[in-house]
Amino acid sequence: MGDTMVEVLPSVLVERCNDSGDLLGVVQLDPDYFGALVNVPLLHQVVTAQLAAKRSGTHSTKTRAEVAGGGAKPYRQKGTGRARQGTTRAPQFAGGGIAFGPKPRDYAQSTPRKMVRQALRAALSDRAMEGRVCLVDRWSFEVPKTKEAAGSLRALGVDGNVLVVISGQDVVAERSFGNLPNVNIVEAGQLTAYDVVVSDWVVFTDETVPGEVSDAPEGSVVLNSSRPVALDLVGETDETDGTAEVEEDSEPEADETEDVGEAAETDDEEEDK
């Protein structure tokens, strides 16, 4: 496909949380899956092929030979002043056959597996570069509960169209997310580039995230965190800094007041003398 397709971008850091939105740590995703360069023409070709493969191709129309009736000549050949006709099932008649109409066909396109894999990596890398990849340790739902599933997504700070990648054993999670209209559920083995492209967020678990996940270097911080808790902490930090600045600015004013008072006392003493 080309040498540019094997190049990788710098590593991607994401926050690893539980399904309640609590931060468990910062991890580094596999650059082979989340750090590849985005080849847009390749991605377009693969997604088009995947959409074409979803078409059933069962459309069908009848030709003039397949329409019932029309065996008799509608009127005599000559002397009517009209164009000669041999059947009322010709395409120009209402109720006649369809000329060049669609027939059942297979729309599937042959796409090399290397292209399919690289397109998936490109789509995942695009979402990772935008900070739209979320990692959860596991889904802790004891029973299927749509309310708890929606609450978990709010706690994680994901919105819009969300793609939740689950394993084959996450039956409770699948049923919990199943009634949410903006959530698409897919098993890890069935994940495609199209699923990622049409989603605003991609949510993985430790079991379903592709590649190897390693701990980020100590002190690493994810700047584009989506968790509401993280945003609140940033706001509190900003408020604290602002207060400190006001206090620091107010101290010189007090010193200036004291200097003015001392100068006034000195003037009074000189007048008394």
Side-chain angles (χ1 to χ4, degrees):
M1 293 302 301
D3 296 338
T4 57
M5 297 186 61
V6 297
E7 296 181 7
V8 295
L9 298 175
S11 60
V12 179
L13 302 179
V14 297
E15 293 179 339
R16 180 173 175 267
C17 309
N18 58 19
D19 56 3
S20 298
D22 300 327
L23 180 63
L24 302 179
V26 179
V27 297
Q28 179 177 326
L29 300 179
D30 194 337
D32 290 339
Y33 289 91
F34 297 93
L37 294 179
V38 181
N39 189 331
V40 177
L42 169 65
L43 192 58
H44 176 270
Q45 181 178 346
V46 172
V47 169
T48 301
Q50 292 173 349
L51 290 176
K54 289 185 177 182
R55 300 184 63 175
S56 60
T58 56
H59 43 49
S60 180
T61 55
K62 292 184 177 182
T63 64
R64 59 185 295 169
E66 297 169 332
V67 179
K73 188 175 177 67
Y75 45 82
R76 60 195 175 97
Q77 181 81 350
K78 292 179 176 294
T80 63
R82 302 176 63 185
R84 54 193 176 186
Q85 303 291 341
T87 175
T88 56
R89 299 302 183 260
Q92 69 268 25
F93 284 99
I98 303 298
F100 308 111
K103 286 293 185 180
R105 54 165 292 193
D106 183 12
Y107 284 91
Q109 302 177 15
S110 177
T111 309
R113 282 178 292 180
K114 286 185 177 180
M115 292 177 61
V116 175
R117 288 195 293 264
Q118 186 60 31
L120 176 58
R121 293 173 179 175
L124 291 174
S125 300
D126 181 68
R127 289 294 174 266
M129 285 186 292
E130 294 178 352
R132 296 283 180 165
V133 175
C134 184
L135 181 61
V136 181
D137 59 343
R138 66 185 182 88
W139 301 112
S140 60
F141 310 133
E142 296 181 357
V143 294
K145 202 76 171 178
T146 303
K147 184 177 181 180
E148 293 182 2
S152 295
L153 294 181
R154 284 194 300 270
L156 294 171
V158 298
D159 53 4
N161 295 324
V162 181
L163 176 64
V164 178
V165 185
I166 62 174
S167 63
Q169 291 74 30
D170 288 335
V171 179
V172 177
E174 181 180 3
R175 295 184 62 185
S176 299
F177 288 108
N179 287 335
L180 296 176
N182 62 325
V183 176
N184 182 27
I185 309 167
V186 63
E187 290 190 16
Q190 304 298 324
L191 182 62
T192 65
Y194 173 74
D195 296 328
V196 179
V197 168
V198 297
S199 302
D200 298 317
W201 281 90
V202 184
V203 182
F204 290 101
T205 61
D206 291 344
E207 187 177 357
T208 61
V209 62
E212 297 181 358
V213 178
S214 58
D215 294 334
E218 187 176 354
S220 299
V221 178
V222 179
L223 300 179
N224 55 353
S225 175
S226 62
R227 296 181 305 114
V229 176
L231 297 177
D232 293 341
L233 292 175
V234 173
E236 291 177 1
T237 305
D238 295 341
E239 292 176 0
T240 304
D241 295 342
T243 304
E245 292 177 359
V246 171
E247 291 177 354
E248 291 176 358
D249 294 342
S250 61
E251 290 178 358
E253 294 180 0
D255 296 339
E256 292 176 0
T257 305
E258 293 177 358
D259 295 340
V260 172
E262 292 177 357
E265 292 177 358
T266 305
D267 295 339
D268 294 340
E269 292 177 356
E270 292 178 354
E271 291 178 359
D272 294 340
K273 292 180 181 179

